[in-house]
Amino acid sequence: MADSKPLFSLDGNPVAAEALLRDVFGLVVDEVIRKGTSASEKVCEWKEPKELKQLLDLELRSQGESQEKILERCQAVIRYSVKTCHPHFFNQLFSGLDPHALAGRIVTESLNTSQYTYEIAPVFVLMEEEVLKKLRELVGWSSGDGVFCPGGSISNIYAVNLARYQRYPDCKRRGLRALPPLALFTSKECHYSIKKGAAFLGLGTDSVRVVKADERGKMIPEDLERQISLAEAEGAVPFLVSATSGTTVLGAFDPLEAIADVCQRHGLWMHVDAAWGGSVLLSQTHRHLLDGIQRADSVAWNPHKLLTTGLQCSALLLQDTSNLLKRCHGSQASYLFQQDKFYDVTLDTGDKVVQCGRRVDCLKLWLMWKAQGGQGLERRVDQDFALARYLVEEIKKREGFVLVMEPAWQAGESGLQRKAG
């Protein structure tokens, strides 16, 4: 086998395969990175669906096409796609392009491995462990657990499932038959994944009790207390509160200390959806917005948002040290998670999660962090806040524009500054 020809080939022609990839990489550098990040270029060459289908020729046929044609296909895909790295792209909570993170994504895709056992992904199992440890430290935990998930929605759903299992472990075997009517609590400004998760897990959307938010979009702890009492009076068992650090629409940060006090009084699991706002923990100037997050049981954090790590990079962090993730989700498949391997089998992390195959999402963040350092990432977060303040002031003095409301986080910081003064 050592003397055989390389298996990597294109129709038996490795030279042509390498040439194709070089051409595609060149296309990416020119059309996506260079032009896609230029303010003089369009964010997107928009076409209506019917016209776009015709331009792309999406039909899959029995006969293959030439490499020249394939390059044309790649060029068309890039041409008509939205350039989320463009400086004028403001449509979602992710944008921008970090070259080190992109390098990590390219390496990840090229190696094409799955993050479930040490034997198939030795580098990335150790790397994920180290990255999650760093994120937990920023939350304020000296120990714990965690996993990278396919998006913040899944992280939130994991948290609900873990909280339910912790209180009623028999539900893993007996299902909904083992459960009384349950109630979980979140604000009206929460991400829609909380209700989706309740439906997906069989709890039903009626189990989600919506807590009022103030005019800035922050959960009102007093109404949380009221909702808990109401749920109990109706015969439901409260088990989880999901707070939000950086709401989707208003960018509000819920008062975590006060919410933690409520959770502590009632013995409830506290989850913080910090998918967008979690990266603020890197900033010494602004991390007070998440004061109290260290009291949470679980945290969802998406570095692909505020840190521009690239889709997708979503961490679920746990303060738990009892192997709750594995007890809740593990199935001990003997054909994959053998216990007599020649290394420490606790490194086979795949049984912690619902997925089997799981893509590597840690390398892009690790490589970017190595290049920028924590200080560089802190400057990036602080710059985002500075740009937001600049935009607010420009809107105030720009004719034809009206500022609907001050940013929720800015109002909070102004109050702190007045108090300090």
Side-chain angles (χ1 to χ4, degrees):
M1 189 69 184
D3 297 327
S4 63
K5 294 182 179 180
L7 295 177
F8 169 60
S9 65
L10 184 70
D11 295 330
N13 187 344
V15 175
E18 183 177 332
L20 170 68
L21 292 176
R22 289 186 183 278
D23 288 340
V24 171
F25 286 146
L27 196 62
V28 168
V29 171
D30 290 338
E31 301 295 327
V32 179
I33 300 173
R34 188 174 298 135
K35 291 184 180 179
T37 58
S38 172
S40 63
E41 299 285 341
K42 293 180 180 180
V43 177
C44 177
E45 189 171 328
W46 182 261
K47 301 293 180 183
E48 292 300 316
K50 187 175 181 179
E51 182 184 3
L52 186 57
K53 282 184 178 181
Q54 293 175 341
L55 288 168
L56 294 176
D57 184 20
L58 295 173
E59 181 186 351
L60 298 174
R61 302 179 179 87
S62 59
Q63 295 296 317
E65 298 178 335
S66 68
Q67 297 313 300
E68 290 75 16
K69 190 65 178 177
I70 294 301
L71 277 176
E72 290 177 16
R73 300 287 191 201
C74 293
Q75 195 155 21
V77 167
I78 295 170
R79 179 178 179 181
Y80 299 115
S81 290
V82 178
K83 313 304 185 297
T84 63
C85 54
H86 196 283
H88 296 162
F89 173 77
F90 303 114
N91 195 45
Q92 260 75 47
L93 297 181
F94 64 91
S95 63
L97 186 148
D98 182 276
H100 302 100
L102 179 58
R105 290 151 69 188
I106 292 170
V107 172
T108 294
E109 292 300 315
S110 301
L111 289 172
N112 188 40
T113 194
S114 181
Q115 182 107 30
Y116 44 48
T117 64
Y118 180 82
E119 64 189 289
I120 196 66
V123 172
F124 299 127
V125 164
L126 298 178
M127 184 181 292
E128 182 180 62
E129 187 178 78
E130 188 63 29
V131 172
L132 291 171
K133 176 184 175 184
K134 187 66 177 181
L135 297 181
R136 288 195 302 268
E137 288 174 356
L138 286 166
V139 170
W141 301 334
S142 59
S143 59
D145 204 350
V147 68
F148 277 95
C149 299
S153 292
I154 302 300
S155 296
N156 289 337
I157 293 172
Y158 266 75
V160 175
N161 197 42
L162 289 164
R164 180 176 66 174
Y165 174 83
Q166 185 194 51
R167 179 161 292 206
Y168 297 101
D170 205 29
C171 72
K172 179 178 178 180
R173 181 176 60 86
R174 297 183 60 228
L176 299 180
R177 293 174 300 160
L179 301 173
L182 298 178
L184 59 140
F185 305 85
T186 191
S187 86
K188 72 183 189 71
E189 297 293 334
C190 76
H191 191 262
Y192 65 78
S193 60
I194 303 301
K195 281 195 171 182
K196 279 197 171 188
F200 181 77
L201 294 171
L203 297 171
T205 56
D206 286 350
S207 68
V208 181
R209 307 297 178 108
V210 179
V211 181
K212 292 179 181 178
D214 64 18
E215 69 279 1
R216 297 288 180 185
K218 301 177 183 179
M219 184 189 290
I220 301 174
E222 294 77 11
D223 192 59
L224 173 60
E225 281 275 15
R226 188 182 71 83
Q227 291 287 350
I228 292 171
S229 297
L230 183 61
E232 290 175 335
E234 294 174 356
V237 179
F239 76 105
L240 173 140
V241 175
S242 179
T244 311
S245 290
T247 59
T248 305
V249 177
L250 298 178
F253 289 78
D254 285 343
L256 301 183
E257 287 283 11
I259 293 170
D261 288 342
V262 175
C263 291
Q264 186 173 339
R265 277 195 296 273
H266 293 275
L268 306 182
W269 181 288
M270 179 178 170
H271 173 64
V272 179
D273 177 3
W276 175 69
S279 297
V280 178
L281 290 169
L282 285 154
S283 169
Q284 293 302 313
T285 303
H286 303 287
R287 63 172 290 132
H288 65 84
L289 292 166
L290 293 94
D291 281 352
I293 195 170
Q294 75 282 357
R295 298 175 65 186
D297 295 287
S298 57
V299 172
W301 179 352
N302 289 4
H304 71 238
K305 290 182 175 173
L306 202 56
L307 290 184
T308 68
T309 309
L311 288 166
Q312 60 193 2
C313 189
S314 305
L316 172 68
L317 308 173
L318 300 175
Q319 190 169 182
D320 172 78
T321 57
S322 70
N323 215 11
L324 182 65
L325 265 172
K326 189 171 182 179
R327 288 188 289 115
C328 181
H329 301 128
S331 63
Q332 296 85 46
S334 60
Y335 57 84
L336 184 59
F337 303 112
Q338 301 94 344
Q339 297 303 297
D340 58 351
K341 294 181 180 179
F342 53 89
Y343 56 82
D344 180 1
V345 294
T346 62
L347 294 171
D348 288 353
T349 55
D351 217 18
K352 290 182 178 182
V353 296
V354 175
Q355 299 163 261
C356 180
R358 185 164 65 94
R359 62 172 292 128
V360 173
D361 286 327
C362 59
L363 175 58
K364 50 194 166 224
L365 177 57
W366 181 84
L367 202 61
M368 182 179 75
W369 206 308
K370 281 288 192 181
Q372 299 285 340
Q375 293 180 345
L377 297 180
E378 179 179 10
R379 286 192 295 271
R380 181 172 293 180
V381 173
D382 288 343
Q383 174 71 355
D384 288 340
F385 277 91
L387 290 172
R389 289 192 193 91
Y390 171 79
L391 178 60
V392 167
E393 296 307 314
E394 287 298 308
I395 290 173
K396 287 179 180 178
K397 63 187 181 184
R398 185 71 60 92
E399 185 178 350
F401 285 80
V402 175
L403 184 67
V404 176
M405 64 179 288
E406 293 283 348
W409 53 265
Q410 185 164 301
E413 291 193 338
S414 298
L416 283 173
Q417 290 164 1
R418 286 195 298 272
K419 185 176 180 181

